[in-house]
Amino acid sequence: MDGVLNENDISHVVEADRAHVWHHLIQHKPFETNDPRIIIEGKGMRVWDQKGKEHLDAVSGGVWTVNVGYGRESIAKAVYDQLLKLNYFAGSAGSIPGALFSEKLLDKMPGMSRVYYCNSGSEANEKAFKMVRQIAHKRYGGKKHKILYRHRDYHGTTISCLSAGGQEERNAQYGPYTPGFVEVPHCLEYRAQPEFDGGNYGEWAANQIEKVILREGPDTVGALCLEPVTAGGGVITPPEGYWERVQEICTKYDILLHIDEVVCGVGRTGVWFGYQNYGVKPDMVTMAKGVASGYAAIACLVTTEEVFDMFKDDAADPMNYFRDISTFGGCTAGPAAALENMRIIEDEDLLGNTLAMGERMMGNLNALAEKHAVIGDVRGKGLFLGAELVASRQTREPADEKKVQAVVADCMAQGIIIGATNRSVPGFNNTLCFSPALIATADDIDQITDSVDQALTRVFG
């Protein structure tokens, strides 16, 4: 670590943090007697805490964000140069980096044509929901307003995003929720729905969506919102045949397909966007995290020209446009960082590296499954992987949540940061999660899985 803070500085920082900072996703009672963790510095795949301890980060900033790794001077310089020239102007006008990044982004997304800038994945999804509702009023007398979401999927922290969230524990205590959101079953083949009667599970799981549409009435359903690979609900890759059938259903009932790429987008699965693994043609795509690898706040809602045209077909109508604004969608640092982030991914062939290192990690995790009976299922795509822990492979009873967290803690003690499903689905917070930066090397991957091997041995024997 080459930071410049001395011991007195650190002491003050820790006390200021303890006294004033409300951390995310954590119970603060232990901080009354223990120090909060402060991350001081990052470089490449590694970060250092206030005690100078080095950690290999296998979750890209804790929440699947820092795709190109830490310490990228070229991104920092791009942001610095842009801020000196123009830091902000509301999205009612354009900016140079906004125009250039939209062009570069859409070049990676054939069939999509418009970019709406905002500042978080939650906000991007809210914008999509608002568009669906406005289209319902413009074209269908307000009737085709319902938005379908999938059990175990997650779309953000606002009340409406939680209303579209399929994780009961994450949603708990935040109701009442926004009306008009309807859940469809998940597609995790390892935990197939009890009603499944054989055949192709992917097609069967998609057909359950059609059953919900028919129950609700196709003339009331405006959109279906799905993650291409479910993230915090257990790193769930779709079964074969699933996405093809989903596309058919959306086309059949004139339902907009909204794909949430907040986690999978910009290289995480080894292609630019997760849906591109499955030949899907969405109407709306939302993205955030990896768009600028956390070097600046940026999120995007991308639509087809057909969706865009619905908001300008009658210029004489004063209500006939998308009457929305995102204040920080006008920040120029986001698209400036995103441009350089994308250049790095291209020039360093990080998509190719993601596929190669993802294959290595999948192989390593499968080898661990042969050694540790507690690993019931290994799944993932690219450098986005999960290992579901079970008390019994025969019954598939989930492993005790405290033991799953003990594995994460053991890895942390070894200097390796991994994740686990947390306050998501009751009784099923039992999947270890991995999303190392796209720059990961073979040695990095092996260190990560070696630490898991040791942790599983110590926790489960």
Side-chain angles (χ1 to χ4, degrees):
M1 185 172 80
D2 53 14
V4 294
L5 290 174
N6 62 43
E7 188 175 344
N8 291 334
D9 292 326
I10 287 295
S11 230
H12 175 73
V13 167
V14 171
E15 289 312 310
D17 184 284
R18 190 201 315 273
H20 305 301
V21 176
W22 197 329
H23 289 269
H24 303 179
L25 294 174
I26 197 165
Q27 169 58 250
H28 282 62
K29 187 69 175 175
F31 293 159
E32 293 178 2
T33 52
N34 298 300
D35 288 348
R37 177 175 284 107
I38 314 292
I39 301 300
I40 300 296
E41 189 175 341
K43 190 72 176 177
M45 289 281 294
R46 287 158 175 78
V47 295
W48 289 263
D49 66 19
Q50 75 265 33
K51 297 177 181 177
K53 182 175 179 180
E54 178 182 314
H55 295 84
L56 196 166
D57 180 5
V59 279
S60 296
V63 287
W64 312 321
T65 299
V66 189
N67 283 9
V68 299
Y70 299 96
R72 291 284 188 170
E73 292 185 22
S74 65
I75 302 181
K77 186 175 187 304
V79 170
Y80 173 83
D81 290 345
Q82 177 57 47
L83 292 182
L84 287 180
K85 185 173 292 185
L86 178 72
N87 64 306
Y88 174 86
F89 197 89
S92 53
S95 72
I96 291 174
L100 295 179
F101 180 63
S102 66
E103 180 181 48
K104 193 172 184 70
L105 175 63
L106 291 169
D107 183 58
K108 314 299 183 192
M109 304 178 73
M112 311 303 288
S113 71
R114 295 285 171 167
V115 180
Y116 191 94
Y117 287 114
C118 44
N119 66 17
S120 72
S122 298
E123 195 184 23
N125 285 326
E126 285 275 358
K127 306 305 185 189
F129 300 156
K130 286 178 70 176
M131 286 185 183
V132 172
R133 293 287 168 86
Q134 192 171 345
I135 290 168
H137 284 283
K138 281 167 48 63
R139 295 206 163 187
Y140 305 102
K143 191 173 184 183
K144 202 172 173 66
H145 70 276
K146 293 177 185 174
I147 295 167
L148 306 184
Y149 66 92
R150 186 172 56 194
H151 184 229
R152 286 182 175 253
D153 278 10
Y154 174 75
H155 301 295
T157 63
T158 64
I159 295 297
S160 287
C161 285
L162 290 176
S163 304
Q167 299 178 6
E168 298 95 320
E169 285 191 337
R170 199 172 287 275
N171 295 7
Q173 302 177 342
Y174 297 120
Y177 306 111
T178 306
F181 290 87
V182 180
E183 186 174 273
V184 301
H186 68 73
C187 65
L188 175 54
E189 191 164 12
Y190 182 68
R191 298 198 174 278
Q193 305 293 332
E195 299 83 7
F196 177 55
D197 53 3
N200 181 298
Y201 187 70
E203 292 180 3
W204 185 90
N207 286 336
Q208 305 319 295
I209 298 175
E210 185 174 33
K211 286 184 178 180
V212 173
I213 293 168
L214 293 173
R215 183 194 74 203
E216 296 293 321
D219 59 340
T220 72
V221 179
L224 170 64
C225 180
L226 301 173
E227 292 182 271
V229 176
T230 298
V235 190
I236 301 167
T237 46
E240 186 177 347
Y242 181 78
W243 273 110
E244 293 87 344
R245 183 70 185 119
V246 165
Q247 186 90 69
E248 290 175 1
I249 291 167
C250 288
T251 301
K252 179 178 180 180
Y253 297 107
D254 188 26
I255 291 171
L256 294 173
L257 179 56
H258 165 190
I259 298 185
D260 179 344
E261 291 272 358
V262 170
V263 173
C264 293
V266 196
R268 173 57 53 195
T269 67
V271 294
W272 284 109
F273 292 93
Y275 73 85
Q276 293 168 343
N277 289 293
Y278 308 109
V280 186
K281 296 179 179 178
D283 300 288
M284 299 172 158
V285 178
T286 46
M287 64 193 75
K289 298 181 185 293
V291 174
S293 289
Y295 284 83
I298 181 174
C300 306
L301 162 58
V302 178
T303 75
T304 61
E305 197 71 7
E306 288 76 14
V307 170
F308 177 75
D309 282 345
M310 286 190 245
F311 293 87
K312 67 180 184 72
D313 53 354
D314 182 3
D317 180 357
M319 299 289 279
N320 191 32
Y321 62 95
F322 189 43
R323 302 180 314 282
D324 177 274
I325 188 169
S326 166
T327 297
F328 293 117
C331 288
T332 60
L339 273 165
E340 181 60 15
N341 183 69
M342 191 167 275
R343 182 201 65 76
I344 289 169
I345 294 172
E346 288 182 308
D347 289 359
E348 298 182 12
D349 188 24
L350 295 187
L351 297 184
N353 189 65
T354 297
L355 291 173
M357 292 303 103
E359 183 178 358
R360 185 183 188 93
M361 192 165 195
M362 181 69 78
N364 286 5
L365 291 172
N366 280 321
L368 289 184
E370 294 180 8
K371 179 178 179 181
H372 298 278
V374 70
I375 298 179
D377 192 35
V378 174
R379 48 190 182 253
K381 201 80 172 171
L383 281 172
F384 184 27
L385 301 106
E388 182 166 351
L389 305 187
V390 293
S392 163
R393 283 186 176 175
Q394 286 68 44
T395 65
R396 300 189 179 182
E397 176 191 349
D400 181 271
E401 188 174 319
K402 290 183 179 178
K403 287 191 173 183
V404 176
Q405 290 299 326
V407 172
V408 175
D410 189 288
C411 289
M412 178 69 81
Q414 296 179 59
I416 309 292
I417 304 173
I418 69 168
T421 46
N422 180 31
R423 298 285 68 77
S424 297
V425 180
F428 291 94
N429 295 305
N430 63 316
T431 299
L432 302 178
C433 303
F434 309 92
S435 57
L438 314 188
I439 62 171
T441 66
D443 285 346
D444 294 329
I445 297 301
D446 292 348
Q447 284 185 55
I448 294 165
T449 51
D450 285 349
S451 77
V452 174
D453 184 13
Q454 295 178 49
L456 291 174
T457 298
R458 278 190 281 268
V459 173
F460 290 96

